Amino acid sequence: MAKKVKNCFVPSITYEKMYKAYLFARKGKRYRKDVILFSLRVEENILSICNCLLLGNYKFGNYKEFYVYEPKERRILAASFKDRILHTWYVKEFIEKIFVPQFISTSYACIKGKGMHKCVVDIKKAMYKLYKRWEKGYIIKMDVSKFFFSINRKILYEIISKKVNDKNFLKFTYTLLESTKEYDDIVEKGIPIGNYTSQMYGNIYLNEVDRYIKSELKCKYYYRYMDDSCIICESKEKAKELLCKINKFYIEKLDLKLNSKTNIFPLKQGIKFCGYTIKIGNVRINKRGKKSIVKKLGKIRYMFKNGEINVDEAKQMLVGHIGYIKIANVDSFVKKYFYLEQ
């Protein structure tokens, strides 16, 4: 068993580290009212945060609750700017340094050098290679039901405490995890979509099933992007056997359920994953993704035509979408809707 990390919390409470977290947290938001107000007295405010942490009496503020409806309805809990600095510092100083190195190589979400696009490309390459070996191979596609709102905070805290033995860190972690308990739909369950810590907490939580699948079930071709995951295996019988064991692990160890999107597909049929349809040697954007791009292009054309944005601003608004379509087979779609510079 790996040694626990000790005495990590207090040495990380420095003005320099908190200031770096402040700079990171304000990216793209520096002209918002709460950011401006904090920045006017930045030195005093950061020192105040550090003192509260050292005294062990930092209190998280209220969250702003709202809903987004694309690609589906989701409740967002947005922390105050001051709290977001703490979330950033916590991730940079502890999660990225202590937990991320323990993640498997085929976990892709929120990890530097990874990401959704690399995940999809790696799955496509594996499918192409394995189809030559397993013409009758199968893919297990797994998706967790209401993942973030179903995470058991008690189990998550126990997972974290197995790795870190520092009472100050664990006290702060507990306070952070419980800072949104008044918004719980189910008691002691759920972490908010919107916190900088949430996706990394999700990775820590699902690293348990990652380790089980890779180490105990010996699944070489397993890939996960947050709560979406898949396994390529040699036969339908093997796929059924693995899915049964994995489903049991999710229920008994993590208190999670796989949803109706979870299924087994012939390798030659491919799968829908991370907004793409991945087949042997081919990646296509799903209908919902295309619809979203077309809608965004319409908005950009309208704003450009009315002089609300210039060419450079229009390109900037398309950066994310261009990254999304770059890895897919979309020649006809691009020709129809817009031209991409070579």
Side-chain angles (χ1 to χ4, degrees):
M1 185 177 178
K3 289 183 179 180
K4 289 187 176 182
V5 175
K6 299 179 181 180
N7 303 320
C8 60
F9 192 72
V10 172
S12 294
I13 303 172
T14 68
Y15 180 88
E16 290 75 20
K17 290 180 178 182
M18 203 62 68
Y19 186 76
K20 285 182 180 179
Y22 153 75
L23 292 176
F24 188 92
R26 79 171 189 179
K27 283 182 180 178
K29 304 178 180 72
R30 61 192 306 170
Y31 298 113
R32 286 174 45 168
K33 184 179 178 180
D34 56 344
V35 180
I36 292 171
L37 290 174
F38 186 95
S39 301
L40 287 172
R41 304 173 70 179
V42 63
E43 184 174 342
E44 180 182 337
N45 287 327
I46 289 178
L47 287 172
S48 174
I49 291 173
C50 290
N51 288 333
C52 287
L53 289 175
L54 289 168
L55 293 170
N57 60 8
Y58 185 87
K59 292 184 179 179
F60 289 95
N62 296 324
Y63 287 78
K64 181 181 178 182
E65 183 179 8
F66 61 95
Y67 288 81
V68 296
Y69 300 93
E70 291 291 339
K72 59 184 178 182
E73 182 178 330
R74 292 185 180 185
R75 183 179 65 172
I76 306 296
L77 297 179
S80 68
F81 180 65
K82 181 180 176 182
D83 287 350
R84 289 204 304 275
I85 294 171
L86 261 294
H87 295 160
T88 303
W89 169 78
Y90 180 85
V91 170
K92 297 294 183 184
E93 289 301 314
F94 306 110
I95 295 183
E96 289 185 356
K97 292 179 181 179
I98 298 171
F99 294 94
V100 172
Q102 306 298 316
F103 294 165
I104 63 171
S105 61
T106 52
S107 171
Y108 294 85
C110 307
I111 300 172
K112 190 175 181 180
K114 299 284 189 73
M116 179 175 66
H117 300 152
K118 180 169 173 51
C119 180
V120 171
V121 169
D122 286 354
I123 292 171
K124 185 185 83 167
K125 288 178 180 178
M127 287 172 63
Y128 182 80
K129 180 178 77 173
L130 293 172
Y131 186 65
K132 295 178 180 179
R133 189 192 310 173
W134 301 329
E135 191 173 335
K136 295 184 179 180
Y138 272 75
I139 303 176
I140 307 168
K141 166 70 170 67
M142 294 171 285
D143 193 353
V144 178
S145 178
K146 298 179 180 179
F147 174 56
F148 286 104
F149 295 111
S150 300
I151 289 176
N152 186 312
R153 293 195 298 272
K154 184 179 179 181
I155 295 175
L156 176 57
Y157 180 81
E158 288 172 354
I159 291 169
I160 292 170
S161 62
K162 288 178 183 177
K163 184 66 182 172
V164 182
N165 184 17
D166 181 321
K167 65 179 182 179
N168 294 310
F169 170 81
L170 293 175
K171 179 184 177 182
F172 180 82
T173 296
Y174 182 82
T175 303
L176 176 54
L177 286 171
E178 293 300 303
S179 66
T180 57
K181 66 179 180 180
E182 64 182 273
Y183 301 93
D184 288 353
D185 292 327
I186 304 172
V187 177
E188 290 190 348
K189 278 198 170 188
I191 56 176
I193 299 172
N195 273 7
Y196 187 60
T197 52
S198 295
Q199 289 187 312
M200 298 308 286
Y201 274 150
N203 271 334
I204 291 170
Y205 204 72
L206 293 181
N207 187 53
E208 299 296 297
V209 75
D210 292 347
R211 292 287 174 185
Y212 172 70
I213 291 172
K214 295 287 277 188
S215 301
E216 294 193 35
L217 299 183
K218 307 295 182 184
C219 297
K220 185 177 180 181
Y221 302 102
Y222 165 69
Y223 306 85
R224 180 176 66 78
Y225 185 86
M226 201 44 67
D227 59 313
D228 285 348
S229 59
C230 68
I231 301 172
I232 307 173
C233 53
E234 63 269 31
S235 67
K236 188 174 185 179
E237 292 71 26
K238 183 66 175 179
K240 286 181 177 180
E241 177 192 339
L242 289 171
L243 183 55
C244 182
K245 291 179 179 178
I246 294 166
N247 188 49
K248 185 178 179 181
F249 185 94
Y250 268 113
I251 294 169
E252 294 181 356
K253 302 295 183 180
L254 298 178
D255 193 19
L256 295 174
K257 293 181 181 179
L258 294 173
N259 66 21
S260 58
K261 295 178 184 177
T262 299
N263 215 328
I264 297 170
F265 304 94
L267 180 55
K268 63 182 178 182
Q269 179 181 321
I271 59 166
K272 291 184 178 181
F273 199 85
C274 290
Y276 298 90
T277 298
I278 312 171
K279 294 188 175 183
I280 309 299
N282 186 284
V283 175
R284 295 197 177 277
I285 300 170
N286 290 343
K287 288 182 179 179
R288 181 191 286 174
K290 289 183 178 180
K291 185 177 179 181
S292 175
I293 293 172
V294 171
K295 184 178 179 181
K296 186 66 173 284
L297 283 168
K299 181 181 178 180
I300 290 171
R301 287 194 183 101
Y302 176 84
M303 293 173 72
F304 183 76
K305 184 178 179 181
N306 287 276
E308 297 176 35
I309 57 173
N310 58 34
V311 173
D312 289 336
E313 289 170 329
K315 287 181 178 180
Q316 190 61 37
M317 290 176 72
L318 281 171
V319 166
H321 291 293
I322 291 172
Y324 177 56
I325 68 173
K326 267 176 83 173
I327 65 168
N329 302 87
V330 289
D331 286 350
S332 59
F333 178 75
V334 170
K335 288 177 182 176
K336 184 175 181 180
Y337 290 103
F338 60 94
Y339 172 76
L340 287 178
E341 292 182 351
Q342 298 298 316

